[in-house]
Amino acid sequence: MPSPFILDRSSVTQVMAWVLAALLPGVAAYVWLFGPGILVTLALATVTALAAEAAMLKARGYPAKPFLTDLSAIVTAWLLALSLPALAPWWLIVTGTLFAIVVAKHLYGGLGQNIFNPAMVGYAVLIVSFPVQMTQWSGPLALTETPLTLAQSATVIFGGDVPKTTLDAVTMATPLDALRTGLLQQLTVDEIMTQPIFSQFGGVGFEWLAAAFLLGGLLLWALRIISWQVPLAFLAGIWLAAGFLHFFDAGRFGAPWFHLFAPSVMLGAFFIATDPVSGATTPRGKLIFGFGAGLLTIIIRTWGGYPDGVAFAILLMNLSVPLIDQYTQPRVYGTSGRGKEPPA
Amino acid sequence: MSRKLFKFKGGVHLSEHKAESNARPLHAAPLPGKLVIPLRQHIGNPAKPVVEVGERVLKGQMIGAADGYISAAVHASSSGIVTAIGPAAVPHISGLPDLCITIETDGRDEWIAHAPLDYQAMAAADLRMKLRDMGIAGLGGAVFPSAVKLDPGAAHSCPTLIINGGECEPWITCDDMLMRNRAGEILQGVAVMRHLLGSTEILVGIEDNKPEAIAAMQAAAQSLDFAVEVVAVPAIYPAGGAKQMIETLTGKQVPSGKLSTDIGIQVFNVGTAYALACAVHHGEPLISRLVTVTGHVLRPQNFEVLIGTPMHTLITLAGERDDSTGALMGGPMMGMPMPDLEVPVVKATNCILVKSNALFPPLPKALPCIRCTRCADVCPAELQPQELFRFAKTGDFGRAQEYHLFDCIECGCCSYVCPSHIPLVDFYRYAKSEIWAREKEKRAADLARERHEFREFRLAREKKEKAEKLAAKAQAARTQAGLDQAKRAELPAAPAPELATAPSDADAKKALIAAALARAQAKKAEVAPKNTDHLLPATQREIEEIEARRAKIHELARQPLESEEKKP
């Protein structure tokens, strides 16, 4: 056995556990602001992910224990669950999770080998295939007269019989959906923003959910689980792109604060774009990766066919990682040039 | 002490574990009954044995002579009888035996005649040869022959001399103890280095976790007739690596693929300076060094040990404990596991670290790389270890080299922080050795090809020459025949026919002799210098090209493969 003979205490399990821990403020805020339905989604995604992981490990001839206990499957499950509408039907959650774990992760070679962020692949598949079901958001409690209980949420998710009026009373468009629909109806941003779902920064409730994700993200940064480059560049990309558009035509483009304080942006910037496996590795590459993802998010939100663009933006940047890494290799000790030696 | 310090990139903070071994005073280890002295203890050519089995040797007597410029002699560490010259177990990662001289000591510890060197009066080249013959090599780990490093070369001087007292590896305290106890002697060695290198700035870098050593060195520096600046550097592994020490103290980086002397800096370990002082001021070759014996032993401490002492003797002295799991030579970050504990202490042995499962639990199984780049954050060579790992693993050695694999100093920081517990350094060693092996193979193939080409060329040339020779001979024969005919034709025209007979006989004889001589000379001229003379310019060029290529290959083959990096 060769040197070194000592190790730091870190482990993949520890890294993933911290990511899950950092998601807890967001989960708590979710429950507080939108009701307990998300817990059902999280649980279902977790169970599905672990089962899929175990099955795939067995099929691929890998030992189950070290890979199940690395918690990476649970991180994927949670990130996907938190991206889905809280009242999405069970089969949507299961399909998305299965696609994330089986196709995006294991068919690409398992832990560390996936080119794309598995949770975002799951999300993209769902939004492309089932756009209607992907709008079953439960509205913020502040705007709901009779919120669903945990049991009612579970009943909705598992396709049980719930009076339609009860369901209609809780589901509503997200602020991004509302903005998109309003703009399609030729309303100005100011007119749209008078709807009750909007508030100071983003949407009622949504802005605080975004703040909770931001808090968890800052925790990850403080623990050096993630580096500052990706989130900062991501947020800067959002801010600058949205600010640029808003500056030229405030009537047609949402304010940068509004775009920034969507929960998907904070979740994407701190938890998804920072996925080391599918992200850029060099310091400058991380800046390009994050900034590109932010920029693409605004472009897709503004001109694309979907209300939100975080998932597609991150997947597109995942695609560019080998190129980004190759051209952003940092200077090596004792060399003058950057990265690779020039071809002789 | 307000020197501006610079920070090298990366590095890790490790549990020091220095207090275990530096609390006890320094002791000399007793004379062992048997000394096993490897002939290859340094970088470069191994020493050549100059004694025979059965011969009595004295302490300090050269038993292996330096072989070539990059080499160093080895000496008997005590008096006794040479009982064997042959392969024996040595402390090497491969576990393969190497040529050693075994001495049965007689307990008299009888010195060979030796005297101090008047180094200031000696010619520099003579002094360096003397040091080479006294076996002085770097004691910081790399054991590069010091005589070579003390040659300022074409620059005629090396402005900055750095004495490395970093000792950043956990557990090891031999440099610490040396500085505490022998600061004056270390600086005497530094004076010799300064003399040979013509240095104007002398810095001693010591990690700030060794306040006693810093104080001792500063006190000793007061009484010198030249300026030595003792600098406390932040304790962060690998601050004691030569390149890192240079950057910390000067802010300069050694250009990739070059030596620190190219930027006017030379670095020596404190132990080397001490060995140099012993050599110059006492005429004693390098036959002992300080060794830390620590880890899973009862009384961790430092010993002054004769080179060739079996490691097990020292572990027994420090108090062997049950359930040890082997020992390392060196520290936990860069040390190497010993195949068995009968191997001798060599010049490179700074520490014997006895392991146990409690102190060094078996490393957990590796998981796949998740590209978290913690390794890149801590890499002092500023590499992208995760990429190098990927290339090494997939056998893409060309790209590994493009990504500066050979700038890796194998400090182990990347492996240490890896959350997937991947033995990264091992992958780099593997990639390096694969590349070396391929280059070696390629060189051998090139050499074979050159030989073949030259043989083909030689055969063709000999054939051509033979044909030319035959043609020339035929031509000569024809000419001779023509001459004879002409001579015969001329003869009747001689003045007096009656006089002609007698001289004509003599003349004919003379002519025959002359012709024979001429033929012989022509033959000689044809045969002897055929390799180089009378060749067509094109042929000459061809030969020269082939010779130049051969020379280059030889040159390549002669170059040492290992980089001359000092290990931290």
Side-chain angles (χ1 to χ4, degrees), chain B residues 84-139:
Chain B
I85 301 176
V90 293
H92 189 265
I93 189 92
S94 71
L96 295 174
D98 200 7
L99 196 58
C100 296
I101 296 178
T102 307
I103 297 167
E104 206 79 57
T105 56
D106 57 15
R108 282 187 267 171
D109 213 20
E110 194 180 326
W111 266 101
I112 196 165
H114 58 289
L117 305 176
D118 186 4
Y119 72 94
Q120 272 154 330
M122 287 173 79
D126 293 343
L127 178 55
R128 282 194 293 268
M129 284 305 98
K130 190 78 192 148
L131 294 174
R132 185 191 69 159
D133 293 340
M134 294 178 97
I136 310 297
L139 298 187

Side-chain angles (χ1 to χ4, degrees), chain B residues 162-417:
Chain B
I162 293 177
I163 303 303
N164 191 343
E167 199 168 52
C168 55
E169 272 246 24
W171 294 96
I172 309 177
T173 56
C174 62
D175 288 349
D176 183 13
M177 294 303 279
L178 186 73
M179 288 186 282
R180 291 189 199 191
N181 293 294
R182 316 256 166 100
E185 289 90 334
I186 292 170
L187 292 175
Q188 284 176 355
V190 172
V192 181
M193 292 172 173
R194 171 178 173 265
H195 169 74
L196 277 170
L197 292 171
S199 307
T200 47
E201 181 186 38
I202 298 163
L203 305 168
V204 180
I206 306 171
E207 271 196 352
D208 57 14
N209 58 5
K210 298 184 244 309
E212 295 91 342
I214 294 170
M217 291 294 283
Q218 275 171 345
Q222 299 296 319
S223 56
L224 289 172
D225 56 356
F226 57 93
V228 169
E229 195 179 335
V230 179
V231 188
V233 303
I236 176 173
Y237 180 84
K243 286 179 174 176
Q244 283 64 44
M245 186 59 84
I246 290 172
E247 188 165 8
T248 305
L249 292 177
T250 68
K252 292 180 189 167
Q253 291 195 340
V254 181
S256 174
K258 295 201 167 175
L259 300 172
S260 64
T261 42
D262 293 330
I263 53 170
I265 300 171
Q266 188 59 287
V267 185
F268 285 98
N269 175 265
V270 286
T272 316
Y274 176 74
L276 197 58
C278 292
V280 169
H281 291 287
H282 305 288
E284 295 176 5
L286 178 51
I287 53 167
S288 69
R289 65 159 298 151
L290 296 201
V291 179
T292 307
V293 183
T294 186
H296 189 60
V297 289
L298 291 169
R299 296 172 300 277
Q301 59 188 302
N302 282 275
F303 294 107
E304 184 157 27
V305 183
L306 295 176
I307 305 291
T309 305
M311 287 187 183
H312 190 256
T313 319
L314 300 178
I315 296 173
T316 310
L317 273 177
E320 194 173 7
R321 290 173 68 174
D322 294 337
D323 54 77
S324 86
T325 52
L328 305 177
M329 183 171 102
M333 293 298 281
M334 293 185 72
M336 53 175 128
M338 290 296 98
D340 70 73
L341 297 179
E342 287 308 310
V343 295
V345 165
V346 292
K347 292 173 185 176
T349 311
N350 49 4
C351 178
I352 299 168
L353 179 53
V354 183
K355 293 195 300 169
S356 70
N357 274 332
L359 291 175
F360 301 97
L363 304 185
K365 267 216 156 80
L367 281 176
C369 169
I370 56 169
R371 309 195 343 130
C372 66
T373 63
R374 287 184 186 196
C375 47
D377 293 340
V378 299
C379 179
E382 304 176 39
L383 298 165
Q384 297 288 303
Q386 80 282 357
E387 302 286 7
L388 293 176
F389 163 68
R390 188 159 59 93
F391 298 140
K393 199 179 172 203
T394 53
D396 193 351
F397 301 124
R399 297 215 58 201
Q401 263 181 292
E402 271 178 32
Y403 278 68
H404 297 276
L405 172 67
F406 284 94
D407 284 296
C408 167
I409 58 169
E410 299 181 19
C411 64
C413 288
C414 52
S415 305
Y416 176 76
V417 298

Side-chain angles (χ1 to χ4, degrees), chain A residues 62 214 254:
Chain A
Y62 280 82
L214 171 63

Side-chain angles (χ1 to χ4, degrees), chain B residues 17-41:
Chain B
H17 290 288
K18 304 268 191 191
E20 281 89 337
S21 57
N22 67 9
R24 289 188 177 79
L26 187 59
H27 285 298
L31 178 64
K34 189 180 85 172
L35 293 162
V36 179
I37 300 170
L39 287 155
R40 187 203 307 269
Q41 295 189 45

Side-chain angles (χ1 to χ4, degrees), chain A residues 1-16 18 62-63 66-67 69-70 72 109-114 223-227 274-283 286 321-322 325-343, chain B residues 14 93 170-171 243-244 246-247 252-256 328 331-337 355 359-364 367-374 376-377 380-384 386-387 393 399 401-404 407 410-413 415-421 423 425-426 429:
Chain A
M1 200 172 55
S3 65
F5 297 87
I6 47 175
L7 287 181
D8 200 3
R9 279 182 299 274
S10 74
S11 67
V12 176
T13 306
Q14 185 205 50
V15 170
M16 298 293 170
W18 273 117
Y62 280 82
F67 288 98
T69 54
D70 71 19
S72 63
L111 179 70
Q113 300 295 312
N114 46 288
L223 290 166
R224 298 292 181 271
I225 305 271
I226 59 172
S227 56
T274 51
D275 167 25
V277 175
S278 56
T281 53
T282 64
K286 284 173 181 168
V321 161
D325 277 353
Q326 168 138 2
Y327 287 103
T328 55
Q329 285 296 312
R331 194 191 69 92
V332 170
Y333 174 101
T335 60
S336 51
R338 287 193 178 275
K340 299 195 310 168
E341 272 168 17
Chain B
L14 303 170
I93 189 92
W171 294 96
K243 286 179 174 176
Q244 283 64 44
I246 290 172
E247 188 165 8
K252 292 180 189 167
Q253 291 195 340
V254 181
S256 174
L328 305 177
M333 293 298 281
M334 293 185 72
M336 53 175 128
K355 293 195 300 169
L359 291 175
F360 301 97
L363 304 185
L367 281 176
C369 169
I370 56 169
R371 309 195 343 130
C372 66
T373 63
R374 287 184 186 196
D377 293 340
E382 304 176 39
L383 298 165
Q384 297 288 303
Q386 80 282 357
E387 302 286 7
K393 199 179 172 203
R399 297 215 58 201
Q401 263 181 292
E402 271 178 32
Y403 278 68
H404 297 276
D407 284 296
E410 299 181 19
C411 64
C413 288
S415 305
Y416 176 76
V417 298
C418 181
S420 289
H421 313 307
V425 180
D426 214 25
R429 290 195 194 108

